[in-house]
Amino acid sequence: MIQLETRVKLPFLWGKAVFKKSEWTQINLIVGANGSGKTLLAQELAKQFEAAGKNVYFFQAEKENHAAAVEILKNDSRIREKVETVLSSMFEKTIQFIDDTDGTFIPVVTNRAWNVQYDLNQVECHGLREIIVLLVNLYNNSNDVIFFDEPELHLHPQFQQFFMNEIRKVASRHGKRMFFIISHSPFFIDLRFPEDLLGVIACHINSEPTHIEKLSEADDELFRKFLPRFNTYHKQFFFSDNQIFVEGYTDRQMFTNLLPFIEDEYSSAGTGIIDVGGKDELGVFCKVFALLGTNGRIITDLDSLFSGKLRDVFCKDEHVAQWLLKQEEKQRFFYEQIFTPRELSSKVDNGRISLEKLILRLERFLAVIGKEVLEKAEKGRSPKKLSIYIEKLEALKAKYVNAESVDTFKTVLLQGILRYSDLLETYLSKKNAASIPLIKNLYSIILAAAEAARVYILPRGCIEHYYVCNKIQFMPVSGKDRLFHAELNHILNSRPKKVRHDYADLINILEKALQRV
């Protein structure tokens, strides 16, 4: 890490707040949405590095840079040879300089494939000219610190990746040089090691930039396993605070196709729905949001309450703790109903009610009710209306040795309680029947607490429980692909009014997730 204390104030962008950072990596990324102040922040940082005695160069895609690069190529044979090697390898082209009549030098490109020469300034495409200028500045070792402002301009994604790889090569050979990349391109978010996250500065609309100060050992281990799976599509969240992450591709497709039907159509500007492949991956993103200070949102299945990395992360989120603290006086009577005096006075969490404690109490309620439902089913004393519910529970019980501890089993129990609460209140023992209203109230508090961490749990279970072409009652769900295509066809071929009616609950969840904090 490179030590340099920096402080930046931009009152017209983020009020009285001050951006502070003292530890820098060799390669630093300044990312964020349009209008979030990336370039202005970079310019202020450049001044402070220069004031500290660093030789700083601020690169922007302008003609002045091109002319300066040509001059360097003309005078520095080392840089010219390196650039020629790259051009030869990538394009089968070479570059040379020819005297013009006015005494200047004309950069001439030779296309070896056709043995044709032409003036780089007049004929060549923007992309090739841009990569030449970028490489010249990168290979120019006279700069201690170089800022590349939007180096992706005119560059094909493969060239962006190539240039990022070249930056890494140069950085590894020159340990004292520093590089700043101000970018909108996910191809420059090249995070190979957990410590690379420390070099990311996220800029936001109307608030100061944020960054990760340090990583704990647990965070380091988590990201070391996760980063190899972190693809270009996932990296969109670095460029907007409005990205919504979901578990799978069917969730992504459903919510993406429902975005046009939200009430405030402009609130979704800059929003993407990104699928990550499961609730554990959602937990990793949730952790990144918390550490980096970005405002990512997550929509997830009900079983996320009962296991997985996502639960671990949002239960420890400081926004959740603050929300629950504000609720304590309001919910005091309810807490006295579901916790013993000893539990309420416990020194764990300083006597505070945590989200983890609320979920554990919900699980205890579910275990007791599940036991009675299955015992009565064995004795043949179950109402016919509960037959599908009981079949699901029995199938899970037969499948797993300790089904009571399995997240799907707990989810089905909760789904049945919410769906058949009136019937269960007459069917169960008096004591367990009395717990049904407590469970429902507890569940609503848990969902609201999770939302404080911008995690929105699908109350019915998973996305398939909101389908209208096929009625799905309980998890797990089979044939998801077939069900999804039927639903998508319904959305694409229905009138807007019908779509808003049929998917009102999902659209409402989307609108809550899109609310700006």
Side-chain angles (χ1 to χ4, degrees):
M1 300 293 286
I2 299 167
Q3 300 289 326
L4 181 66
E5 190 75 36
T6 59
R7 293 169 56 89
V8 178
K9 294 182 179 180
L10 293 174
F12 63 96
L13 280 180
W14 55 73
K16 296 180 180 179
V18 180
F19 170 80
K20 302 175 185 177
K21 187 169 170 62
S22 57
E23 292 189 345
W24 302 90
T25 55
Q26 257 196 288
I27 301 174
N28 302 275
L29 301 166
I30 301 179
V31 297
N34 288 333
S36 59
K38 297 185 298 298
T39 298
L40 292 173
L41 171 66
Q43 289 171 341
E44 290 298 317
L45 290 174
K47 292 176 184 176
Q48 295 187 31
F49 274 92
E50 200 162 43
K54 302 290 185 181
N55 187 359
V56 179
Y57 184 71
F58 202 100
F59 174 87
Q60 290 178 301
E62 299 171 345
K63 290 183 179 179
E64 292 79 8
N65 286 320
H66 183 245
V70 169
E71 192 67 20
I72 293 172
L73 280 171
K74 180 182 71 175
N75 296 318
D76 193 319
S77 60
R78 180 189 65 84
I79 294 177
R80 183 168 64 250
E81 288 171 5
K82 291 193 71 171
V83 172
E84 285 179 346
T85 299
V86 170
L87 292 177
S88 177
S89 299
M90 294 176 69
F91 307 105
E92 292 191 27
K93 298 178 180 180
T94 58
I95 187 170
Q96 58 182 322
F97 294 89
I98 297 176
D99 291 306
D100 199 357
T101 54
D102 61 0
T104 60
F105 283 83
I106 301 173
V108 174
V109 173
T110 301
N111 187 332
R112 298 200 308 269
W114 303 105
N115 196 28
V116 175
Q117 291 185 335
Y118 51 88
D119 185 345
L120 173 66
N121 292 323
Q122 296 180 2
V123 179
E124 190 57 79
C125 63
H126 288 299
L128 183 53
R129 280 187 292 177
E130 193 68 19
I131 197 69
I132 291 173
V133 176
L134 287 168
L135 291 173
V136 167
N137 285 281
L138 176 63
Y139 298 149
N140 184 4
N141 297 332
S142 64
N143 302 312
D144 300 319
V145 182
I146 184 166
F147 288 77
F148 289 105
D149 193 1
E150 298 190 15
E152 67 268 20
L153 292 179
H154 309 304
L155 292 190
H156 186 281
Q158 289 179 347
F159 294 166
Q160 295 175 35
Q161 288 182 312
F162 160 76
F163 185 62
M164 188 65 205
N165 286 334
E166 287 299 289
I167 291 176
R168 280 199 173 275
K169 289 179 185 178
V170 172
S172 68
R173 294 168 187 157
H174 303 275
K176 293 184 179 180
R177 289 189 72 190
M178 292 179 65
F179 304 90
F180 286 81
I181 303 161
I182 306 107
S183 178
H184 291 107
S185 171
F187 295 98
F188 282 102
I189 308 296
D190 185 35
L191 305 173
R192 302 183 184 184
F193 307 99
E195 52 268 29
D196 290 339
L197 284 164
L198 301 177
V200 178
I201 301 171
C203 295
H204 316 283
I205 302 295
N206 298 325
S207 64
E208 74 275 18
T210 54
H211 60 93
I212 299 175
E213 290 281 359
K214 61 181 180 180
L215 295 173
S216 67
E217 288 186 14
D219 294 336
D220 187 279
E221 183 180 355
L222 174 67
F223 293 132
R224 201 168 293 278
K225 293 178 181 178
F226 168 73
L227 286 176
R229 293 179 283 169
F230 190 45
N231 64 40
T232 303
Y233 184 60
H234 296 153
K235 296 172 186 176
Q236 294 180 64
F237 89 90
F238 284 102
F239 307 102
S240 170
D241 278 343
N242 296 326
Q243 302 301 332
I244 296 174
F245 287 81
V246 295
E247 290 188 37
Y249 85 95
T250 55
D251 302 69
R252 172 173 57 83
Q253 285 291 332
M254 285 294 293
F255 284 118
T256 298
N257 281 281
L258 290 175
L259 268 178
F261 299 98
I262 62 175
E263 186 174 349
D264 181 2
E265 58 184 303
Y266 296 110
S267 66
S268 65
T271 296
I273 311 293
I274 303 171
D275 63 283
V276 299
K279 59 178 179 287
D280 282 340
E281 282 76 7
L282 285 176
V284 178
F285 278 98
C286 194
K287 186 68 175 179
V288 175
F289 301 156
L291 288 172
L292 192 54
T294 58
N295 191 26
R297 304 93 190 273
I298 288 171
I299 299 177
T300 185
D301 295 349
L302 178 55
D303 60 358
S304 294
L305 275 183
F306 302 119
S307 70
K309 173 56 65 176
L310 178 59
R311 165 178 160 160
D312 296 341
V313 173
F314 69 68
C315 278
K316 296 174 183 175
D317 189 279
E318 62 179 26
H319 298 96
V320 171
Q322 292 169 5
W323 186 88
L324 287 171
L325 184 61
K326 293 178 181 177
Q327 295 292 312
E328 281 198 7
E329 190 62 35
K330 178 182 177 182
Q331 301 295 342
R332 183 179 298 276
F333 177 71
F334 175 66
Y335 290 159
E336 289 174 350
Q337 291 180 286
I338 65 174
F339 294 111
T340 66
R342 184 176 180 180
E343 288 172 327
L344 290 173
S345 61
S346 170
K347 293 182 179 180
V348 178
D349 297 323
N350 296 318
R352 300 295 184 189
I353 299 298
S354 66
L355 182 53
E356 182 75 20
K357 184 182 287 188
L358 292 174
I359 295 174
L360 289 174
R361 185 44 41 100
L362 175 62
E363 290 176 323
R364 184 182 295 184
F365 277 131
L366 295 177
V368 173
I369 289 180
K371 182 179 179 181
E372 183 178 352
V373 168
L374 289 174
E375 285 177 350
K376 287 193 171 184
E378 287 180 4
K379 297 175 182 178
R381 296 165 53 189
S382 302
K384 186 176 181 180
K385 193 173 181 180
L386 295 179
S387 59
I388 297 177
Y389 178 45
I390 292 172
E391 284 176 14
K392 281 282 186 179
L393 292 175
E394 289 177 333
L396 291 168
K397 186 80 173 176
K399 183 177 180 180
Y400 298 102
V401 176
N402 296 308
E404 296 81 1
S405 64
V406 176
D407 54 359
T408 307
F409 187 81
K410 297 172 187 177
T411 302
V412 173
L413 273 171
L414 181 54
Q415 286 179 302
I417 290 170
L418 298 173
R419 180 182 291 270
Y420 303 120
S421 58
D422 292 341
L423 178 57
L424 287 171
E425 285 185 48
T426 62
Y427 168 64
L428 295 173
S429 65
K430 188 174 181 180
K431 181 180 179 181
N432 285 339
S435 70
I436 298 295
L438 300 178
I439 290 172
K440 293 170 73 173
N441 191 29
L442 176 56
Y443 179 52
S444 65
I445 293 172
I446 289 171
L447 292 187
E451 288 180 10
R454 306 314 301 268
V455 175
Y456 300 87
I457 294 167
L458 294 171
R460 295 187 197 173
C462 58
I463 197 80
E464 288 80 13
H465 294 106
Y466 295 84
Y467 286 179
V468 297
C469 297
N470 294 275
K471 296 296 182 183
I472 309 298
Q473 294 185 343
F474 301 105
M475 298 175 75
V477 179
S478 59
K480 288 187 175 185
D481 191 66
R482 174 184 57 80
L483 296 172
F484 159 70
H485 284 289
E487 218 65 27
L488 180 61
N489 187 60
H490 177 69
I491 293 174
L492 296 177
N493 292 287
S494 298
R495 293 182 179 275
K497 186 176 181 180
K498 182 166 180 56
V499 173
R500 290 190 180 95
H501 172 269
D502 289 349
Y503 303 97
D505 289 343
L506 283 179
I507 292 171
N508 179 58
I509 291 169
L510 258 182
E511 289 175 335
K512 284 200 295 183
L514 288 168
Q515 289 176 357
R516 298 180 185 273
V517 178

